[in-house]
Amino acid sequence: MNEALTVALGDRAYPIHFTDSSKALSATLAELRQAQRAVCVLCDANLLASRADYLKAAGFAQDEILSLPAGENTKSIEPYATALSFLAQGNRNRDSVVFAFGGGVIGDLAGFVAASYLRGIDFYQIPTSLLAMVDSSVGGKTGINLPEGKNLVGAFWQPKAVFIDTDLLGSLPAREFAAGMAEVIKYGLLADRALFDELETLGALSPQSEALPAIIRRCCELKAQIVIDDETETAASGGRALLNLGHTFAHAIENAAGYGDYLHGEAVAIGLVLATRLSVELGQLEASWVERVIQLLETHALPVRLKSPL
Ligand code: GLY
């Protein structure tokens, strides 16, 4: 339980640290400095305001940090160009390293910056939201949105390590925590009936819940296995596409509503209800599942229908 989990992808294998992850982060940074590799951190401005101490304690210097506006709009061309210029103006070379300190938006953006700068440099994920801890920081999907749609530009680019520190969730707004729970519930639905049952029994979780660290680890185990089996989502059926449960609806909602109106996890929550209803209509699920899914989402104060017509 205390050991790091390995995402076994051959020469691209990497650890996910769950316990003592801040120590593992400091040790990694010390090794990079020893090897004289330049580092930089992409971080969201809100988080930097509240948790600059975390980066300082890990050993990062102020001028290594690029702060970007919080919110989904940061996953777009302009902030991407800003980040690339930050690296270029700092004369970062191919040995340089990018750290992502933030939620899914920063992780996806930083990963794509790393994937494309000088044709690819190393990067590390330090997820700070529940959604990023259980989903987006693991598996190497990186990218940005276009006005035409979400995640339309990107690359599969695996991080070198993921450092999950649940203490960071303490500063996460309740709405953001709930949005992460939508992805947790997704794992229960797509791959782990026992997890879904457990979530129903536990009721509303919070960053302080005793059960949370084991649940985060369980989600990472499920995701790691799916990614190992189908890293680039090419399986003819099932495979990595399973992780998109509810996401086709969610992406349409986010795109039609304008990014920022719904948090990604909130759109996923509505998407899960719609996907469950569709499965019932197709005769693939018993009708009672719709109510179960709605109830579990509502336990976490997640939306289960559109706030207003799009
Ligand atoms: N978030 C879906 C995936 O990583 O495939």
Side-chain angles (χ1 to χ4, degrees):
M1 173 73 185
N2 290 342
E3 279 168 27
L5 171 70
T6 300
V7 184
L9 287 168
D11 59 0
R12 284 163 292 104
Y14 55 93
I16 307 175
H17 298 279
F18 295 94
T19 38
D20 287 336
S21 48
S22 57
K23 280 192 196 143
L25 172 62
S26 301
T28 300
L29 193 55
E31 272 170 34
L32 292 168
R33 296 211 189 282
Q34 181 77 25
Q36 304 201 318
R37 298 179 67 182
V39 301
C40 71
V41 192
L42 304 196
C43 171
D44 97 42
N46 288 353
L47 191 65
L48 192 60
S50 60
R51 293 313 309 257
D53 60 320
Y54 196 87
L55 292 177
K56 198 170 168 211
F60 292 102
Q62 192 66 41
D63 63 357
E64 291 171 331
I65 302 171
L66 175 65
S67 165
L68 293 159
E72 186 73 28
N73 286 331
T74 286
K75 231 180 101 170
S76 54
I77 294 276
E78 256 185 48
Y80 169 65
T82 302
L84 290 174
S85 292
F86 180 74
L87 266 69
Q89 284 161 15
N91 292 323
R92 261 70 177 199
N93 62 21
R94 294 184 87 177
D95 284 333
S96 302
V97 173
V98 174
F99 284 80
F101 184 63
V105 167
I106 289 291
D108 285 9
L109 173 77
F112 187 48
V113 166
S116 50
Y117 184 70
L118 297 178
R119 298 186 181 80
I121 61 174
D122 289 348
F123 94 109
Y124 292 83
Q125 291 271 18
I126 316 166
T128 60
S129 70
L130 179 60
L131 186 144
M133 289 181 188
V134 298
D135 194 52
S136 59
S137 68
V138 175
K141 266 193 186 174
T142 71
I144 56 174
N145 305 325
L146 294 182
E148 290 77 8
K150 202 168 151 93
N151 295 333
L152 289 186
V153 183
F156 288 101
W157 193 249
Q158 299 294 341
K160 289 290 164 191
V162 181
F163 303 95
I164 293 182
D165 185 345
T166 48
D167 284 350
L168 284 165
L169 294 176
S171 42
L172 194 66
R175 189 177 162 204
E176 297 261 1
F177 181 81
M181 282 307 300
E183 298 280 358
V184 173
I185 293 166
K186 175 193 83 173
Y187 284 105
L189 282 169
L190 72 88
D192 193 337
R193 173 75 183 266
L195 173 62
F196 191 91
D197 293 346
E198 187 187 343
L199 292 171
E200 285 184 320
T201 309
L202 286 168
L205 294 173
S206 74
Q208 288 74 35
S209 298
E210 245 177 67
L212 190 65
I215 288 174
I216 292 174
R217 188 182 174 104
R218 182 75 194 121
C219 293
C220 288
E221 285 167 354
L222 292 165
K223 174 139 192 191
Q225 193 53 56
I226 290 171
V227 169
I228 290 164
D229 293 342
D230 183 24
E231 184 184 0
T232 53
E233 209 171 301
T234 49
S237 69
R240 189 164 182 162
L242 282 174
L243 295 168
N244 298 338
L245 179 63
H247 282 59
T248 309
F249 293 113
H251 290 175
I253 293 167
E254 288 178 275
N255 193 251
Y259 297 114
D261 206 359
Y262 290 87
L263 296 176
H264 175 61
E266 292 174 337
V268 168
I270 299 170
L272 290 177
V273 176
L274 294 173
T276 308
R277 279 195 207 287
L278 183 62
S279 301
V280 170
E281 272 180 37
L282 293 173
Q284 292 167 348
L285 264 187
E286 281 173 26
S288 59
W289 275 95
V290 175
E291 205 39 51
R292 284 184 73 178
V293 171
I294 287 177
Q295 273 209 354
L296 188 50
L297 293 167
E298 284 186 331
T299 300
H300 290 93
L302 283 161
V304 294
R305 62 187 65 81
L306 293 175
K307 293 185 260 188
S308 56
L310 294 172

